[in-house]
């Protein structure tokens, strides 16, 4: 793995004009933020050595370097999901590469099902903590001390400092935000009513199929993380209706401007 990270790092160092301190991973149908990036260098995942190839509809699969406002960023448009068949090492490989390139802050977004009864479809939820129920852990196996410690602390997986800033930005711009705990599950099925209830009982406010593996690896590498979920459907008793990938994408797409503003401001105020 160390060899692969080095290869990809060298390849990208030769392609990128400079090395940003901020990384961004955008979820399903949440790629709008990249339209605001200027001075872009776009690299299709297909062309990057050792990168897996994204297969899900709604993910175009590009690494984008550029400026978001005044700050340089390295953004992934489209991520790798465990349900696609990738191992956790593959899912999180790009985060390893970002760390090697010097990324210190990682911002992530995802679409998720809301379980908190106060939530509504279209809400933006700032993730304050997570519960990992994926069946495989990205740090399982030999630990490379060069990459991080064997037993990483997770007491502040999501930076309190960044959460406070994001809430202030939302307030200043009259954007309603929720806060809550994200449960990460393997998918690809959406939850049964009993599963939504279970995830609510164990302490979740929203459930989705991503983000946690990347955050774990980012924390292992010492990055600070900030993540938001767009609530695209509700797993709340009496409000549960049939969910489709298309609807999830459509709702995620319509809420993007609020999320984009929060992330852009957050990067520029940091
Ligand atoms: N469950 C899991 N993943 C999701 C959901 C959901 O309800 N909505 C969007 N992604």
């Amino acid at each position: 793995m160390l060899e692969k990270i080095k290869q990809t790092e060298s390849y990208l160092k030769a392609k990128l004009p400079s090395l940003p301190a901020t990384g961004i991973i955008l979820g399903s149908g949440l790629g709008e933020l990249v339209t605001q990036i200027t001075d872009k260098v776009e690299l299709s995942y297909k062309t990057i050595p050792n990168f897996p190839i994204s297969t899900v509809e709604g993910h175009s699969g590009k690494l984008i370097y550029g400026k978001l406002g005044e700050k340089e960023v390295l953004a992934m448009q489209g991520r790798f999901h465990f349900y696609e068949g990738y191992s956790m090492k593959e899912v999180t490989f790009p985060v390893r590469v970002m760390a090697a390139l010097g990324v210190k802050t990682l911002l992530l977004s995802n679409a998720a099902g809301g379980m908190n009864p106060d939530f509504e479809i279209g809400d933006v939820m700032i993730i304050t903590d997570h519960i990992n129920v994926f069946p495989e852990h990205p740090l399982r196996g030999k630990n490379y001390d060069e990459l991080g410690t064997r037993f990483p602390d997770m007491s502040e997986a999501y930076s309190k400092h960044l959460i406070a800033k994001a809430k202030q930005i939302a307030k200043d711009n009259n954007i309603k935000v929720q806060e809550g705990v994200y449960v990460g599950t393997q998918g690809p099925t959406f939850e049964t009513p009993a599963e939504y209830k279970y995830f609510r009982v164990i302490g979740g406010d929203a459930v989705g199929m991503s983000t946690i593996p990347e955050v774990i690896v980012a924390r292992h590498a010492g990055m600070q993380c900030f993540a938001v979920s767009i609530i695209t459907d509700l797993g709340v008793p009496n409000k549960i209706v049939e969910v489709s990938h298309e609807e999830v994408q459509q709702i995620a797409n319509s809420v993007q401007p609020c999320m984009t503003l929060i992330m852009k401001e957050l990067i520029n105020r940091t």
Side-chain angles (χ1 to χ4, degrees), residues 112-117 119 125 196 205-207 230-236:
M115 299 178 298
N116 183 319
F119 287 5
M125 183 189 93
Y196 282 123
D205 294 290
V207 55
I230 304 290
I231 305 301
T232 55
D233 53 277
L234 292 174
V236 173

Side-chain angles (χ1 to χ4, degrees), residues 12 24 27 40 43 57 65-66 96 112-113 121 125 133-134 139 141 154 162 184 194 198 202 207 210 215 231 238:
L12 290 174
I24 305 175
K40 271 187 223 169
L43 300 167
E57 222 184 298
Y65 162 91
R96 290 283 179 218
I121 287 176
M125 183 189 93
V133 295
F134 280 96
L139 303 182
M154 290 295 277
L162 293 177
Y198 165 63
I202 64 170
V207 55
S210 67
V215 167
I231 305 301
N238 305 318

Side-chain angles (χ1 to χ4, degrees), residues 152-211:
D153 172 67
M154 290 295 277
S155 62
E156 194 180 331
Y158 301 85
S159 160
K160 288 199 174 88
H161 171 71
L162 293 177
I163 291 169
K165 264 197 182 164
K167 282 165 68 178
Q168 187 60 47
I169 291 162
K171 199 170 164 202
D172 294 348
N173 291 280
N174 284 319
I175 298 170
K176 171 187 162 200
V177 284
Q178 307 279 12
E179 287 174 69
V181 173
Y182 177 87
V183 178
T185 177
Q186 66 175 316
T189 44
F190 292 111
E191 285 62 38
T192 63
E195 286 166 343
Y196 282 123
K197 188 174 165 192
Y198 165 63
F199 289 146
R200 178 70 186 147
V201 166
I202 64 170
D205 294 290
V207 55
M209 308 172 194
S210 67
T211 306

